[in-house]
Amino acid sequence: MLLGLAALAIALVRADEVIYTDDALAAGWQDWSWGSTIDYDATTMAEGTSSIFVNSTEYSALSLETPVAFNNTFAGLAFDISGDQPDLTITIQDTVDNTQSASIPLSALSNSVTSDNFTSILLNFNNIPPNGGALGNGSWNRITFQAGTDGAVYYIDNIELISTITVAPQFLSAEPLVNNLIAVTTAGDVDFSTVKVNLNGHVVIPADTPSVSITYLTLASSLSPGNLSITAGSSSFTFALPARTDATIDESGTHLISDHVYGINFPTDASYIQELGVTISRWGGNAETAYNPFGGFTNAGDDWYFENRANDDADGWIEWVHAAGSDTLLAIPADLLDAYIPPYEVSTGLPRTQHRTPIQKQFTLEFIKEHFIDQESFDPYIPDAGDGLFPNGSYVTPVPDQNNVYVPWNTSAAKQWLTGLVNKPTLVTIDNEIEIASNTHQDMHPIPMSYDEELSRVVNFSAIAKEAIPEVQVAAPSTCSWWYYWTSQVGFSDNAAHNNTDFIPWFLSEMKAAEASHGKRLLDYLDLHYYFQGNTTANDAPTRALRMRMTRSFWDPTYVDESWIGTNPAQNNEPNPNVVMLIPRFQALIKERYPGTKLSVSEWDSTADADISGGLVTADSLGIFGKYGLDSATYWSDPDPTSAAGLAYWLYRGNGTYFGDLSLEVNVTNFDPDFLGIYASSSTIKGRRAVSLVIVNKNPDAPVSFNVSGLPTGKYLIRHFGGEAGIAKFQTTFELNSASYIVVPGYTAVFLQQQV
Ligand SMILES: *[C@@H]1O[C@H](CO)[C@@H](O)[C@H](O)[C@H]1NC(C)=O
Ligand SMILES: *[C@@H]1O[C@H](CO)[C@@H](O)[C@H](O)[C@H]1NC(C)=O
Ligand SMILES: *[C@@H]1O[C@H](CO)[C@@H](O)[C@H](O)[C@H]1NC(C)=O
Ligand SMILES: *[C@@H]1O[C@H](CO)[C@@H](O)[C@H](O)[C@H]1NC(C)=O
Ligand SMILES: *[C@@H]1O[C@H](CO)[C@@H](O)[C@H](O)[C@H]1NC(C)=O
Ligand SMILES: *[C@@H]1O[C@H](CO)[C@@H](O)[C@H](O)[C@H]1NC(C)=O
Ligand SMILES: *[C@@H]1O[C@H](CO)[C@@H](O)[C@H](O)[C@H]1NC(C)=O
Ligand SMILES: *[C@@H]1O[C@H](CO)[C@@H](O)[C@H](O)[C@H]1NC(C)=O
Ligand SMILES: *[C@@H]1O[C@H](CO)[C@@H](O)[C@H](O)[C@H]1NC(C)=O
Ligand SMILES: *[C@@H]1O[C@H](CO)[C@@H](O)[C@H](O)[C@H]1NC(C)=O
Ligand SMILES: *[C@@H]1O[C@H](CO)[C@@H](O)[C@H](O)[C@H]1NC(C)=O
Ligand SMILES: *[C@@H]1O[C@H](CO)[C@@H](O)[C@H](O)[C@H]1NC(C)=O
């Protein structure tokens, strides 16, 4: 379905700069590797006299650096590799500006690397896998081959920067689209006069492209049901165009779509926010629970050996995010045992992902080897830092003395911080997944969080947040998952102690009571984290189809969850307990327990940012959020703008063109949500109402076609991603002569907006 880049016929013209051929790195190139055993003169397996043998432990790397940046003067990188499909991710880095290319999985370049022989790999800098796009400008000076969780063992040889890559002319895809278009993607210098379109035996005559070139051919007459064949050069493409499905749009509208549903956790920079049209940006997550705003530090907790890390300053973060046009959602630490945050420490300024240097050993280590010799595992880079577990998996004892490693944190410290912020957040959350603090931050909060303690912390910190920033809106309790929506980490005895009331309903009632006793609302948004529970590990065809169905868990009262939620006996006292129907379920609870509270989902994801199916899930979900009246949502975490998930944001919000703000009802005959998503809206553009329509075809193999009544004719902008063309994004304008036959190819999301 998706184009393998390796499938393109590519010829190398000239090898320009050799980094390695035999014996040793070429002059100037340096070894900046870490955590790996490397032999630069390995003779066991070599082309020529020797090759490089690499044995990398988990997340460690072969990394080659040159003081003379090669910038954008080369067309690509070539190398030969041998190993049992080593789990490697390649990045091209600029250590001066501290930027890097997309992470390129070796598997996106070749899936057939074996240990019997060398496989030649070419990385085209103008078409960077997995999602396309050019490497772009940069003082590129470092190439890193990083191993995954299980390490990697391989031989690598003939590493060269290539100055010219000639792409053989080829038609890659040609697909019917909307009313009367054929979208043709090409590589190299093709001859368009060879394109012939044949619909039911009759011959018809016939922007923004990050990874392949696209040309739109407008047909002399509209597409219609039947057999379509397109021949172009020596390629041919055939489709069975289905009979029309009737759809009806009611232009009168139902409700306003909240702008805040198009949010992202930690967008990378201002251009990211503008390119994807991000409306709200969240600062949160496990590390931020342990953010020390006075020291600029977080603690990784259980995520990574309880180590402190230098962190951005929240005030500066809010400033640039607001300047880029996005609102903000800031987590206020609140879950620490009466209460501590990491102290000031030596700042290395190193980004999180980079290899740690010895200076970071000066960071506070709670579960230091010297004190707890017998631990399950230690950080491979800082062997003194343990994971806080005995080898049998139970918590080490005694709990380290917090006075040695933390400074106090409490509501007055939080108030001092929030009052002192020059830039105020739009919303705050009270901590993050506070209910599982005894797992994520066992050092700070070893005792399981109870209903009462969690409520008390939310009430106390919300009250001071509103004293410090009167206009701020509070979202809580940012509960991690379905299980904890209904109980606490103490267990069901805690439910029993609260009249057998499930946690979130109880929490809503208590927050309503807190409003009465405080004389003001302390909870503006009920905030949840929601991750689809189906098993999507095997990214095969059945899993992708499952992924397409799982969006139903956001809304559908008939969708029995295809996960433990759907099969386990009820873990809660809620109606229909094997069905999630997240948005209507919690809207109903809010109505019953604390009317007027909004609903937000500050963490969710598609389960596959880089896969087309993950992009379609994201596009479908964004449509669902608008249709079902969710008030805010922020994706975890920042999908690459060229990834499939990133393109879903671009589809709805990219570059200043926005899906409308008034949700319109769309009815579709025999609507099957496993295979289709369809969302309509209108907005006022230049003083006139304009309709927008998003259609997500979740079927990988077949186009769908619609007869849409209520869709005005005239000029439209069309954006789309997916289909035979691969994940890349495209857009053009076209004239909708009659709404009676609109085609959407398989595995494609399209956005149509009336031009007024
Ligand atoms: C790679 O290194 C590990 C230790 O990190 C060792 O156990 C393993 O045998 C090595 N593999 C090879 C092929 O040298
Ligand atoms: C290894 O690759 C070389 C060059 O591609 C080829 O000539 C040789 O037959 C291959 N050997 C094996 C065992 O596949
Ligand atoms: C990259 O550099 C070239 C040559 O210096 C310049 O023409 C081009 O505008 C730059 N592109 C970007 C995206 O900055
Ligand atoms: C690469 O770019 C940097 C600045 O961006 C410049 O100083 C350097 O000379 C360039 N190197 C080459 C080889 O063009
Ligand atoms: C399309 O092709 C199929 C099979 O080749 C054939 O049965 C059918 O009649 C054709 N339909 C039209 C409208 O020509
Ligand atoms: C959609 O269907 C519902 C239920 O049959 C109906 O009430 C509504 O008017 C329909 N809306 C449109 C736009 O056809
Ligand atoms: C795990 O090991 C520790 C230290 O050896 C011991 O004290 C503890 O009882 C063990 N826990 C279990 C559940 O076996
Ligand atoms: C609250 O935290 C601040 C800042 O760390 C500390 O100075 C103060 O003593 C603490 N107050 C209480 C009552 O613990
Ligand atoms: C919240 O504030 C109340 C009143 O000051 C206090 O009794 C309670 O202990 C506080 N809760 C927590 C978890 O610190
Ligand atoms: C306990 O729950 C029952 C229903 O589940 C309800 O009728 C009753 O009012 C509750 N009692 C209290 C004290 O909230
Ligand atoms: C999830 O699917 C993968 C791949 O099919 C399988 O290996 C794994 O055991 C499954 N996990 C669970 C929890 O079922
Ligand atoms: C963004 O929109 C502007 C104005 O419509 C246009 O000039 C520009 O080319 C667009 N950029 C992209 C990347 O689409």
Side-chain angles (χ1 to χ4, degrees):
M1 172 85 228
L2 304 174
L3 288 172
L5 297 156
L8 299 184
I10 281 173
L12 310 191
V13 169
R14 187 161 59 98
D16 220 37
E17 180 170 341
V18 170
I19 301 172
Y20 177 92
T21 48
D22 286 315
D23 314 327
L25 288 172
W29 285 84
Q30 298 172 10
D31 181 352
W32 281 26
S33 309
W34 70 92
S36 306
T37 306
I38 300 172
D39 176 0
Y40 283 96
D41 195 11
T43 52
T44 319
M45 179 95 200
E47 296 180 316
T49 57
S50 63
S51 70
I52 308 176
F53 168 75
V54 186
N55 183 351
S56 289
T57 56
E58 65 167 344
Y59 302 129
S60 63
L62 169 70
S63 186
L64 308 175
E65 194 268 354
T66 173
V68 185
F70 51 87
N71 300 356
N72 56 349
T73 53
F74 289 96
L77 174 75
F79 57 89
D80 299 334
I81 186 162
S82 163
D84 186 14
Q85 189 65 44
D87 177 13
L88 289 177
T89 299
I90 301 157
T91 46
I92 312 297
Q93 294 162 300
D94 165 350
T95 60
V96 180
D97 303 319
N98 205 4
T99 55
Q100 62 177 41
S101 68
S103 297
I104 305 155
L106 177 64
S107 58
L109 293 162
S110 171
N111 242 325
S112 52
V113 177
T114 67
S115 51
D116 319 337
N117 210 345
F118 280 97
T119 303
S120 292
I121 305 287
L122 176 66
L123 171 60
N124 184 342
F125 289 164
N126 277 314
N127 194 353
I128 298 275
N131 303 312
L135 178 62
N137 291 346
S139 300
W140 307 115
N141 65 341
R142 185 173 180 183
I143 301 167
T144 296
F145 302 79
Q146 186 173 17
T149 34
D150 296 329
V153 177
Y154 57 98
Y155 293 87
I156 186 164
D157 207 347
N158 300 325
I159 310 174
E160 291 164 6
L161 288 161
I162 304 296
S163 67
T164 313
I165 296 175
T166 307
V167 179
Q170 197 183 349
F171 288 97
L172 302 172
S173 72
E175 285 177 306
L177 189 67
V178 295
N179 214 200
N180 58 355
L181 295 183
I182 299 294
V184 184
T185 61
T186 58
D189 191 11
V190 298
D191 177 3
F192 271 99
S193 70
T194 65
V195 177
K196 305 274 183 285
V197 180
N198 184 310
L199 180 62
N200 293 324
H202 301 286
V203 175
V204 280
I205 321 266
D208 185 15
T209 60
S211 71
V212 273
S213 299
I214 188 156
T215 303
Y216 295 94
L217 303 176
T218 304
L219 302 178
S221 57
S222 292
L223 293 161
S224 59
N227 299 324
L228 176 72
S229 77
I230 306 161
T231 56
S234 57
S235 307
S236 76
F237 309 92
T238 59
F239 301 89
L241 297 182
R244 301 163 171 81
T245 296
D246 287 324
T248 312
I249 295 180
D250 178 354
E251 272 204 76
S252 61
T254 53
H255 60 270
L256 287 174
I257 296 171
S258 169
D259 227 21
H260 280 165
V261 297
Y262 310 105
I264 293 224
N265 278 270
F266 290 117
T268 47
D269 54 28
S271 64
Y272 184 103
I273 288 173
Q274 282 145 10
E275 194 182 332
L276 300 192
V278 177
T279 50
I280 184 163
S281 304
R282 174 171 176 259
W283 162 296
N286 292 343
E288 255 55 57
T289 285
Y291 174 55
N292 177 341
F294 307 119
F297 267 76
T298 59
N299 186 281
D302 178 55
D303 286 346
W304 195 260
Y305 302 97
F306 301 88
E307 287 165 27
N308 283 357
R309 295 166 175 175
N311 202 76
D312 286 349
D313 170 51
D315 208 346
W317 180 81
I318 296 168
E319 182 179 24
W320 74 253
V321 171
H322 284 175
S326 166
D327 285 340
T328 48
L329 171 54
L330 177 76
I332 303 174
D335 84 354
L336 314 178
L337 183 70
D338 263 20
Y340 297 86
I341 48 175
Y344 303 45
E345 278 293 348
V346 181
S347 169
T348 63
L350 283 178
R352 295 175 182 191
T353 49
Q354 221 160 22
H355 175 43
R356 294 178 182 79
T357 61
I359 195 168
Q360 280 176 307
K361 287 185 183 172
Q362 295 171 36
F363 285 7
T364 310
L365 307 172
E366 283 102 300
F367 297 105
I368 193 164
K369 198 171 198 168
E370 190 186 330
H371 299 146
F372 303 98
I373 188 89
D374 195 21
Q375 295 188 63
E376 184 194 51
S377 80
F378 292 92
D379 180 350
Y381 309 115
I382 306 181
D384 279 348
D387 69 353
L389 302 176
F390 284 125
N392 63 14
S394 54
Y395 291 0
V396 297
T397 48
V399 172
D401 180 358
Q402 287 156 329
N403 289 307
N404 291 339
V405 289
Y406 291 120
V407 294
W409 179 256
N410 48 42
T411 48
S412 19
K415 189 172 175 184
Q416 184 197 336
W417 168 46
L418 295 172
T419 307
L421 287 176
V422 175
N423 301 283
K424 307 294 189 194
T426 324
L427 272 86
V428 293
T429 61
I430 307 306
D431 212 275
N432 165 76
E433 305 186 356
I434 192 168
E435 72 287 346
I436 52 166
S438 60
N439 280 354
T440 49
H441 295 279
Q442 81 185 65
D443 53 335
M444 298 176 183
H445 196 291
I447 297 160
M449 184 73 70
S450 67
Y451 275 42
D452 292 342
E453 186 187 344
E454 181 167 350
L455 175 71
S456 173
R457 288 178 185 278
V458 170
V459 167
N460 291 4
F461 279 92
S462 172
I464 63 97
K466 293 206 168 198
E467 280 171 27
I469 311 173
E471 65 283 7
V472 85
Q473 301 257 293
V474 173
S478 309
T479 308
C480 69
S481 67
W482 179 260
W483 183 268
Y484 291 107
Y485 299 163
W486 316 121
T487 187
S488 77
Q489 204 153 36
V490 172
F492 293 119
S493 61
D494 211 8
N495 296 50
H498 295 86
N499 192 27
N500 249 342
T501 313
D502 291 333
F503 176 71
I504 294 285
W506 175 84
F507 174 79
L508 284 168
S509 295
E510 295 295 323
M511 291 309 292
K512 182 171 187 225
E515 174 177 348
S517 60
H518 281 73
K520 65 177 153 188
R521 202 176 240 284
L522 296 181
L523 183 75
D524 300 289
Y525 289 76
L526 172 66
D527 185 40
L528 304 171
H529 292 174
Y530 181 66
Y531 290 97
F532 299 118
Q533 293 296 298
N535 183 353
T536 53
T537 313
N539 195 32
D540 53 11
T543 312
R544 288 164 139 203
L546 167 64
R547 195 174 278 136
M548 294 298 135
R549 296 190 295 271
M550 288 190 315
T551 56
R552 293 173 61 188
S553 68
F554 277 126
W555 62 273
D556 190 344
T558 67
Y559 181 65
V560 175
D561 214 60
E562 296 179 77
S563 75
W564 65 273
I565 294 172
T567 53
N568 272 31
Q571 170 241 341
N572 57 47
N573 298 308
E574 303 305 309
N576 209 358
N578 298 116
V579 165
V580 174
M581 52 167 180
L582 191 88
I583 300 170
R585 177 184 293 281
F586 283 96
Q587 284 169 338
L589 275 175
I590 285 169
K591 201 169 166 196
E592 176 192 323
R593 300 267 176 172
Y594 193 10
T597 311
K598 294 177 176 177
L599 179 63
S600 66
V601 178
S602 67
E603 286 187 18
W604 71 280
D605 80 359
S606 68
T607 76
D609 288 7
D611 192 89
I612 181 60
S613 62
L616 298 175
V617 162
T618 309
D620 198 31
S621 302
L622 295 177
I624 289 167
F625 296 166
K627 177 173 176 179
Y628 289 91
L630 188 64
D631 296 295
S632 179
T634 39
Y635 193 92
W636 184 270
S637 170
D638 53 322
D640 189 290
T642 62
S643 71
L647 294 189
Y649 283 83
W650 166 81
L651 192 81
Y652 280 85
R653 302 274 313 166
N655 196 26
T657 295
Y658 304 149
F659 190 66
D661 49 15
L662 183 66
S663 183
L664 305 184
E665 185 168 44
V666 194
N667 287 350
V668 174
T669 309
N670 298 326
F671 175 63
D672 183 349
D674 291 347
F675 291 99
L676 183 69
I678 183 163
Y679 307 96
S681 67
S682 71
S683 46
T684 303
I685 298 173
K686 297 179 199 151
R688 297 170 62 186
R689 299 304 287 173
V691 174
S692 301
L693 183 65
V694 165
I695 303 173
V696 182
N697 181 359
K698 304 186 190 181
N699 186 332
D701 307 316
V704 284
S705 69
F706 294 95
N707 172 22
V708 187
S709 56
L711 191 63
T713 56
K715 193 175 179 191
Y716 277 77
L717 171 74
I718 175 171
R719 288 179 160 172
H720 57 117
F721 70 88
E724 297 288 337
I727 290 171
K729 64 181 181 182
F730 307 103
Q731 74 177 43
T732 187
T733 53
F734 76 105
E735 197 72 35
L736 183 65
N737 300 318
S738 131
S740 66
Y741 199 75
I742 292 184
V743 179
V744 178
Y747 254 22
T748 297
V750 304
F751 167 95
L752 302 179
Q753 186 166 71
Q754 194 185 356
Q755 304 293 283
V756 294

